[in-house]
Amino acid sequence: DSGVTQTPKHLITATGQRVTLRCSPRSGDLSVYWYQQSLDQGLQFLIQYYNGEERAKGNILERFSAQQFPDLHSELNLSSLELGDSALYFCASSVGSGRGDEQFFGPGTRLTVL
Amino acid sequence: QQQVKQSPQSLIVQKGGISIINCAYENTAFDYFPWYQQFPGKGPALLIAIRPDVSEKKEGRFTISFNKSAKQFSLHIMDSQPGDSATYFCAARGGSEKLVFGKGTKLTVNP
């Protein structure tokens, strides 16, 4: 158990809908990262927050947004969902934002868009 | 553009054998190369990592070999066990906190 928690574990929804995925980092970790894992694209970095501020952005669609709250938990919002958004979404956390920090991954949320 | 190329896509090894997974990169700014292990239904977990100032790092049965001039690094699993059956990802990071992952290798170790 990495200490990173994600809810829900599974999510099934329809095209056009909006969902929110939640992540609680390990105690003491200030950085939260979001990744998307699909069969064809592999693990893709979406976005990173450090202590409430956006730190780095990857291949995140404009329909997706994230935030990190004062208690350091983070939410990833996915809107106008398309079939291709079906994937595993992982959250990871690290102590700081430095390049030497190990990232600990949560168990993921499996999103199915029908 | 895939910045880290990983091969093979899948690998079947007999118990006790050596599993070898290779990765290649282009970006010379990368300076941290971790390997992650992922079991079905779980998130990736850091297995072992190396920085380019060393050519090899060993932790138990797991060894990373790093060739800076060739821009290649590999994971060797000695005495492979059925419990090692998982998907392995190489990754690289440099210049930012962003990790770039290879596409993964599904390892099956037969008893």
Side-chain angles (χ1 to χ4, degrees):
Chain A
D1 184 2
S2 67
V4 178
T5 61
Q6 289 187 248
T7 57
K9 195 172 173 119
H10 301 279
L11 198 49
I12 301 174
T13 188
T15 54
Q17 295 298 305
R18 172 189 167 94
V19 297
T20 297
L21 312 183
R22 183 188 168 105
C23 168
S24 292
R26 293 186 323 152
S27 177
D29 284 1
L30 298 179
S31 271
V32 169
Y33 309 77
W34 286 98
Y35 292 86
Q36 180 192 58
Q37 186 177 39
S38 60
L39 281 173
D40 55 340
Q41 294 294 321
L43 261 167
Q44 297 276 318
F45 168 72
L46 294 178
I47 196 164
Q48 178 203 358
Y49 278 81
Y50 173 73
N51 204 21
E53 300 288 325
E54 183 183 303
R55 180 80 176 190
K57 218 167 186 176
N59 303 321
I60 188 165
L61 299 172
E62 283 192 15
R63 300 184 285 109
F64 296 0
S65 65
Q67 53 183 329
Q68 186 179 27
F69 294 86
D71 67 352
L72 300 177
H73 91 271
S74 177
E75 293 181 356
L76 179 68
N77 299 296
L78 315 176
S79 61
S80 303
L81 284 167
E82 302 175 359
L83 296 177
D85 297 327
S86 295
L88 268 168
Y89 290 85
F90 288 103
C91 164
S93 73
S94 68
V95 171
S97 67
R99 288 158 56 182
D101 290 333
E102 178 182 346
Q103 294 183 24
F104 294 86
F105 282 76
T109 293
R110 181 174 292 279
L111 173 66
T112 302
V113 182
L114 301 174
Chain B
Q1 179 190 0
Q2 187 185 353
Q3 297 192 55
V4 179
K5 293 185 179 178
Q6 183 172 348
S7 63
Q9 199 169 359
S10 62
L11 182 60
I12 300 174
V13 173
Q14 291 299 118
K15 179 183 174 182
I18 302 173
S19 304
I20 302 174
I21 305 170
N22 300 299
C23 285
Y25 64 96
E26 290 293 326
N27 189 343
T28 55
F30 289 150
D31 63 359
Y32 174 68
F33 302 89
W35 284 89
Y36 284 83
Q37 180 188 55
Q38 185 179 24
F39 292 105
K42 304 287 185 184
L46 181 67
L47 190 62
I48 186 173
I50 197 168
R51 296 194 184 274
D53 52 346
V54 296
S55 60
E56 186 175 283
K57 183 174 181 180
K58 185 175 180 178
E59 288 185 4
R61 295 184 294 109
F62 300 90
T63 300
I64 299 179
S65 297
F66 186 83
N67 186 330
K68 188 173 180 178
S69 59
K71 292 186 283 187
Q72 295 174 347
F73 58 111
S74 60
L75 175 70
H76 291 63
I77 306 174
M78 311 300 288
D79 187 26
S80 298
Q81 299 296 312
D84 297 330
S85 298
T87 300
Y88 292 81
F89 295 91
C90 62
R93 185 174 67 195
S96 72
E97 295 76 27
K98 172 183 166 182
L99 268 175
V100 179
F101 285 85
K103 292 215 169 183
T105 297
K106 184 175 181 181
L107 172 65
T108 302
V109 181
N110 288 329

